[in-house]
Amino acid sequence: MTSSDGAPPASVPPGAGIWVDADACPVVVKEILYRAAMRTCTRLTLVANQALSVPPSPWIRAIQVPRGFDVADNHIVAAIGAGELAVTADLPLAAAVVDKGAEALNPRGELYHRGNVRELLDLRNFMDTLRSAGMQTGGPPAFGQADRQRFAGQLDRWLAARRR
């Protein structure tokens, strides 16, 4: 595993971090996260199976994991703590971090928590079953400005709640 220069100061509380499933995370979302981490002094860790370039900051690091099915997801689940946030569009990963007491936010701005993640995962699994049976279910629309704004707003609300 590799990490960028610097590490957060020792005074950073363990529950203050954001973990990013970075392989499929849109660049614009990563840029929002970089700015937010530096502005709020929040530990941000991007996990991917490829090398990532991140801005130099003691608050931001990138971890490269070996290639393989769910290796990055498994790393995030093992490392995340209660009260932290995972940024991912992967519902099984979101459900796993929620089970550990964390929350998850997808790049389109939907927050996953104990009250909704199981229902959304069940719906996803049902749609997978339909697709496996040959049914055309369509996909999500292209990522756009409204998605970016929803993500930034939800991230700001999450960060503000952590400062209280």
Side-chain angles (χ1 to χ4, degrees):
M1 292 186 217
T2 61
S3 56
S4 65
D5 293 333
S11 62
V12 175
I18 299 172
W19 293 83
V20 182
D21 182 6
D23 285 316
C25 187
V27 172
V28 67
V29 169
K30 290 177 195 170
E31 291 168 354
I32 291 167
L33 288 162
Y34 298 150
R35 288 191 301 271
M38 289 186 273
R39 181 182 79 241
T40 63
C41 300
T42 300
R43 186 172 30 88
L44 175 66
T45 306
L46 294 93
V47 181
N49 61 23
Q50 58 190 324
L52 295 173
S53 175
V54 297
S57 168
W59 302 102
I60 302 169
R61 70 182 176 141
I63 297 175
Q64 184 177 355
V65 296
R67 291 193 182 275
F69 184 71
D70 285 344
V71 175
D73 295 1
N74 293 339
H75 182 89
I76 292 169
V77 171
I80 200 166
E84 293 191 294
L85 180 70
V87 175
T88 182
D90 182 330
L91 269 167
L93 172 56
V97 302
V98 166
D99 285 347
K100 288 191 70 176
E103 291 179 296
L105 177 61
N106 79 16
R108 293 178 183 270
E110 185 172 11
L111 187 66
Y112 304 123
H113 49 79
R114 288 196 188 278
N116 70 357
V117 75
R118 287 289 160 206
E119 181 179 327
L120 292 166
L121 185 57
D122 288 345
L123 178 60
R124 172 219 179 247
N125 292 340
F126 176 69
M127 297 302 281
D128 276 351
T129 301
L130 290 177
R131 284 188 289 275
S132 295
M135 190 158 229
Q136 296 292 329
T137 59
F143 188 84
Q145 182 67 26
D147 298 310
R148 180 181 322 173
Q149 290 172 340
R150 270 191 306 277
F151 177 83
Q154 193 65 261
L155 177 64
D156 282 344
R157 283 188 289 281
W158 187 88
L159 288 165
R162 297 306 161 277
R163 288 192 292 267
R164 287 187 210 137

